């Protein structure tokens, strides 16, 4: 994946087809809710497992690098996200960088739970 800068995300945020970049329907819905500023989306759990029992699980899959970049961008813009649980981090450096950069920009997260042992 080419390194994406913030300008890429800003220019394409309104028009990106989330169904095309998401690895599953659940992830596409979470990306959509973040992009739309859904006030009811107050927590997300990052996991490798698609069946994660936590609320709003976001399943990270290898080969969908752009998906994680977009997740980081939308997390950074979110005004409603209050809790982020991380049970898995992508192994690809650019994915991790994009995600962490978005988390660092976020001003609404109050609880960050990191247990990346999966």
């Amino acid at each position: 994946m080419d390194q994406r800068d913030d300008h890429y995300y800003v220019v394409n945020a309104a028009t990106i087809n989330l169904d095309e970049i998401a690895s599953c329907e659940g992830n596409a819905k979470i990306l959509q809710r973040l992009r739309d500023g859904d006030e009811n989306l107050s927590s997300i759990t990052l996991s490798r497992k698609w069946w994660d029992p936590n609320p709003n699980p976001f399943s990270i899959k290898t080969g969908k690098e752009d998906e994680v970049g977009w997740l980081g961008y939308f997390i950074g813009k979110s005004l409603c996200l209050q809790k982020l649980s991380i049970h898995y981090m992508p192994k690809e450096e650019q994915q991790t960088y994009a995600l962490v950069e978005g988390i660092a920009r976020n001003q609404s997260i109050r609880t960050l739970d990191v247990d990346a042992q999966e």
Side-chain angles (χ1 to χ4, degrees), residues 1-6 8-9 93-95 97-98 101:
M1 181 180 100
D2 294 330
Q3 181 71 33
R4 305 278 193 209
D5 61 9
D6 195 53
Y8 167 82
Y9 294 109
E93 184 178 331
Q94 291 180 3
Q95 288 187 58
Y97 178 80
E101 189 175 72

Side-chain angles (χ1 to χ4, degrees), residues 88-104:
Y88 178 77
M89 287 295 283
K91 296 194 183 329
E92 293 82 1
E93 184 178 331
Q94 291 180 3
Q95 288 187 58
T96 302
Y97 178 80
L99 181 60
V100 170
E101 189 175 72
I103 294 169

Side-chain angles (χ1 to χ4, degrees), residues 49-111:
K49 303 171 186 170
W50 63 268
W51 48 264
D52 195 303
N54 292 296
N56 302 311
F58 191 94
S59 179
I60 296 175
K61 308 236 187 313
T62 302
K64 284 293 190 174
E65 292 85 3
D66 214 22
E67 174 184 51
V68 177
W70 280 106
L71 176 64
Y73 174 76
F74 290 131
I75 284 175
K77 296 291 184 185
S78 176
L79 301 175
C80 304
L81 191 61
Q82 296 179 18
K83 180 179 180 182
L84 181 62
S85 297
I86 301 173
H87 296 243
Y88 178 77
M89 287 295 283
K91 296 194 183 329
E92 293 82 1
E93 184 178 331
Q94 291 180 3
Q95 288 187 58
T96 302
Y97 178 80
L99 181 60
V100 170
E101 189 175 72
I103 294 169
R105 287 184 179 162
N106 182 281
Q107 298 293 306
S108 63
I109 294 174
R110 300 291 173 246
T111 304

